[in-house]
Amino acid sequence: MTLQLKSPAKINLGLFILGKRQDGYHELETLLQMVSLYDTLELTALPAGIELICDHPGVPSDQTNLVVRAARLLLEKGAAGRALGCRIHLHKNIPAGAGLGGGSGNAGIVLRGLNQLWQLHLSISQLAEIAAQIGSDVPFFLGSPAALGRGRGERLTPLQPAKKFYVILLYPRLAVATSEVYRGLNLDLTKKQKNINILHQFFSESDIASLGAHLHNDLEPVVFKRYPIVQKAKEALSALDPDGVLVSGSGSTVFAIFGDSASARQAFARLQGGDWDLFLTETVTSLSEFLPASLCHDLKP
Ligand code: C5P
C-alpha cells in the first residue's frame, strides 16, 4: 500500500521571545500559519527497514533527516515491537534553512501518514509527544493550519482560519542555522511590551491590513545583523507596498502578505529576475487542502 501526501511550509506571523529556559531553549509566543508551498511524500509499506529516497542534493537521506528520525521514533514508541518498515520518497520544493519549517513539516506529515499506513491508531496527543522530541515546530504540522505556539513552540492552541490571504516567499538562497540565530539574541533588546494578543485579534478578524502592520519577529534583528542580504530582501519586498513584510522564524526567508490576490500577483511579477527564489502562495485554511480525506478525520485537536 502507498500513501501520497503533501507537506506544507509555514510562516510565523509573530514571534516573541519571552526568555531563556534552563534547558537552553527559549520560551516564546508565536502565531504559525501554513502556506501553499508543498513538498510531496510517498510512503510505501515494507516488511522491515526504513528507506528514504530524496531527490534534493542539499537534503540528507540518512538518519540525520528528520523524516527518518520521525519514522524510527514512531516505530520505537508506537509499534509495540511489531516488525514494520517503509520506503519514503521525498520530493523537496521548500528550501532548507529557510525558516519555513520544511524538515519539521515533513516529519510531522510522516508521523501522521505512518500512523495510518502501519495502523498504529495512536492519538493526536501521543503523536504530538513524539513530534516534540523531533523538533519544536513538528507538532504544529500534526494539526490545524493556523495556531498559537507557546513554550518552545510545541504547546499549541489551534486557531479558526482567517479568510484566505496571499503570501510571497522570498528565499535569498542562503541557509541559516536556527541555533546560531538564537545564540545571537540579546534578550534585553526584545520588545517585552509587545505580545501576540494584538496579532491574534487582527488574525481572527481577518483584518489583513492591521495584521500586516503588526507583524513582529524578535529574531529578525539578529538575522539582519548576521546576514545583511536578508535585510536587503526585506527592503525589496517592502518597496512593493504589501500589507506587511517579515522574516519567517529564524530566516532566511522574508515573506510579504497581501489581502488580495491581484496585488500579490503584480508584486510577484515585479520581483522576477532578482538573486533569490520566489514563491507565490496563499494561506492554507483547511487540512483537506493537503491531506487525503482518510487522514483529515482523526486530525481534530
Ligand atoms: O527544536 P529545534 O531542534 O527545531 O530547535 C533548533 C535550535 O533552535 C535549538 O537547538 C535551539 O538552539 C534553538 N531554539 C531555541 N528555542 C526555541 C526553539 C529553538 O533556543 N523555542
Side-chain angles (χ1 to χ4, degrees):
M1 190 190 155
T2 295
L3 260 185
Q4 310 268 1
L5 300 168
K6 284 182 181 172
S7 166
K10 61 84 181 160
I11 53 172
N12 302 79
L13 294 164
L15 202 164
F16 300 83
I17 307 290
L18 307 182
K20 185 140 190 214
R21 310 178 353 165
Q22 297 283 350
D23 62 6
Y25 282 90
H26 290 79
E27 194 71 13
L28 54 79
E29 287 181 328
T30 184
L31 202 171
L32 295 146
Q33 168 68 61
M34 294 181 194
V35 294
S36 62
L37 170 66
Y38 303 103
D39 293 337
T40 57
L41 289 149
E42 193 182 283
L43 309 183
T44 309
L46 295 179
I50 289 159
E51 295 174 14
L52 173 64
I53 300 166
C54 180
D55 56 6
H56 197 286
V59 176
S61 292
D62 60 8
Q63 64 274 18
T64 61
N65 192 303
L66 294 189
V67 158
V68 177
R69 281 187 56 203
R72 291 236 165 108
L73 259 185
L74 187 63
L75 201 54
E76 192 183 305
K77 310 257 174 194
R82 284 161 62 197
L84 294 164
C86 65
R87 179 178 302 122
I88 305 168
H89 277 266
L90 171 60
H91 173 72
K92 292 296 293 179
N93 298 308
I94 305 171
L100 296 173
S104 301
N106 296 164
I109 298 298
V110 159
L111 289 178
R112 295 217 52 89
L114 290 180
N115 189 39
Q116 183 180 78
L117 197 71
W118 289 342
Q119 300 187 354
L120 301 177
H121 307 295
L122 298 191
S123 67
I124 280 294
S125 56
Q126 286 172 306
L127 289 180
E129 212 170 286
I130 297 173
Q133 290 177 41
I134 302 166
S136 308
D137 282 341
V138 180
F140 170 63
F141 291 96
L142 297 173
S144 139
L148 288 177
R150 295 201 169 83
R152 59 186 174 93
E154 88 291 13
R155 276 182 21 226
L156 295 161
T157 308
L159 299 180
Q160 276 298 105
K163 120 180 162 250
K164 251 187 206 301
F165 57 95
Y166 303 88
V167 184
I168 295 179
L169 306 173
L170 187 159
Y171 174 65
R173 298 182 181 151
L174 167 87
V176 162
T178 302
S179 53
E180 274 181 34
V181 172
Y182 275 100
R183 220 175 297 132
L185 252 180
N186 180 346
L187 289 174
D188 295 336
L189 297 182
T190 58
K191 299 191 179 71
K192 299 226 165 23
Q193 77 278 17
K194 289 200 175 184
N195 66 52
I196 204 85
N197 298 335
I198 185 88
L199 266 183
H200 180 196
Q201 186 191 322
F202 293 132
F203 182 85
S204 54
E205 292 166 355
S206 283
D207 179 349
I208 305 309
S210 303
L211 179 73
H214 289 83
L215 300 179
H216 179 80
N217 182 352
D218 276 332
L219 298 177
E220 192 177 70
V222 188
V223 178
F224 285 169
K225 197 164 167 206
R226 294 183 74 92
Y227 310 101
I229 194 180
V230 182
Q231 187 161 13
K232 293 261 176 315
K234 183 170 181 177
E235 286 162 13
L237 276 172
S238 303
L240 300 171
D241 205 23
D243 287 314
V245 189
L246 194 71
V247 167
S248 184
S250 55
S252 61
T253 299
V254 186
F255 67 87
I257 67 171
F258 298 83
D260 75 290
S261 64
S263 313
R265 278 201 308 272
Q266 268 170 26
F268 187 70
R270 287 175 58 190
L271 286 162
Q272 296 302 319
D275 203 8
W276 43 55
D277 295 332
L278 287 173
F279 306 93
L280 178 57
T281 71
E282 56 184 46
T283 54
V284 173
T285 54
S286 159
L287 296 171
S288 61
E289 290 174 36
F290 68 95
L291 282 178
S294 61
L295 273 176
C296 287
H297 290 148
D298 61 345
L299 263 171
K300 304 274 182 284

